Amino acid sequence: MRLTALDEVSERLGLKRGQGLAEARAMFPKIDVMDEDGEADQVLLEAIADWCDRYTPLVALDGREGLLLDITGCVHLFGGEEALLRDILKRLFHMGFDVKGAISSSPGLSWAACRFGRGGVIDDETMKEVLAPLPVNALRIDDAMTVSLHKLGLKRVGDLFPMPRAPLARRFGTQLLLRLDQALGANEEAISPRRPIAALSAERRLAEPIQAEEHILQLTGQIATSLRPGLESRGIGGRVFELVLFRIDGRVFRIAAGASQPLRDPERISSLFSERLNAAHDDLDAGFGFELLRLNVLQHDTFGTAQGDFIGDGESEIALADFVDRVSARLGADCLQFAELRQSHMPERARVFVPAMTAGSAQKKGDEDLAFAPRSDRPLRLFHHPEPIDAFAATVPDGPPQRFRWRRIVHRVVRAEGPERISPEWWIDPKEAEERDYFRLESDAGRRFWIFREGHYDGKTAPSWRVHGIFA
């Protein structure tokens, strides 16, 4: 067992990370330790990352104890780099966290200044001056390379500046020079945000926190109104919206709502979150209130504008879309299903059920999904899995049965139509898949079935029969 983290008192006593617990107890018998909980630490770090979204949407996790924020274009909103960094550190300090931060044009330099330096705002002119006195492991190199550099007397980053690059590359590889160039800003390094970037976003910072649901919905409508000019200028409408609520104690709530059609109307957008707030009422703890509300457009689609006819203005279509949006927001996107066609000859693959929220996108595909038109009508009810039946007195080789037993009931056939032969799809089905001959049968009781024979009569084994659907 080894030490993985230390407080300030332990560091002043001379304990080190990675030191054995038995050795630490021998030095200081009264040392207090607790087991590490990596999952809880990760949850806490992600919660802090959510809180940092108030400064920039480009937030990335950096290991187990760090965050990287790309604040390009966001600094002027907080009064400059010094003010932004001071605000972050002050707020986190009042939340009970002892953190260190640095701002520079290089992620590598900010990483090094936070962990091995004093942090702060670093200008481009002083990058070398700040990086030179730091240890070589501040370049984010592995322990083996660090030990090799120490053996050569290269203990500080500044010791590498006068060294020729070619011998360093031959001895230590290109990784050392890459890390050095990244820290000095000579080689750009991009960060990977933990969340997708919204196409459009608008927010409202409040002088006094709010708690009531009606106040949240009212502000949501106001924020949606400020989003409308941006949507109109791009000719789009929002399909998936996200309402982000920043609680005053640092906790962040994210509520997503989708629409079956592209939306711009602030009232309809606000109504979506009215249903979502009702569904998530028990999980949404306002606490002492929310101080910041943000509305993001996560997905969008082309907004089709069409002139209304002389009879009506399309209120029925709007009412249906509004019903789908409200029910899906309250009960979930999968509560209403829509049958969407697929390009497949096999009946069970020719259609799939998708959430009704995507019905608008499916209809815009035009005839792309209708490339295959069956030669006969399909049953109203199609089974997901064809059910086996016992067929009797079937005409050999391609005729329908005279009687068949399904679900312990014998049906006598009075009318038959077929066969309709459907071959397996060789690019999907296995080689042993056999052809199907489908028949439309009507029983003496007036019931109509859609059955098929899988395979052909070969004189050795009889083919299997299955019922795939019911017409009436």
Side-chain angles (χ1 to χ4, degrees), residues 25-55:
R25 288 191 182 277
M27 297 171 58
F28 305 98
K30 296 183 179 181
I31 188 174
D32 187 16
V33 297
M34 63 180 61
D35 293 336
E36 180 186 23
D37 189 348
E39 295 183 0
D41 293 342
Q42 185 68 19
V43 171
L44 176 61
L45 185 62
E46 291 181 355
I48 299 176
D50 284 337
W51 177 84
C52 288
D53 282 349
R54 66 177 59 230
Y55 299 100

Side-chain angles (χ1 to χ4, degrees), residues 237-249:
R239 290 294 302 271
V240 178
F241 299 88
E242 181 186 46
L243 180 63
V244 188
L245 306 173
F246 294 84
R247 206 167 66 180
I248 195 170
D249 62 350

Side-chain angles (χ1 to χ4, degrees), residues 93 133 152 202 216 235 246 258 295 334 350 441 454:
F93 176 78
L152 297 177
I216 296 176
F246 294 84
L295 185 61
D334 295 333
L441 306 180
E454 191 171 25

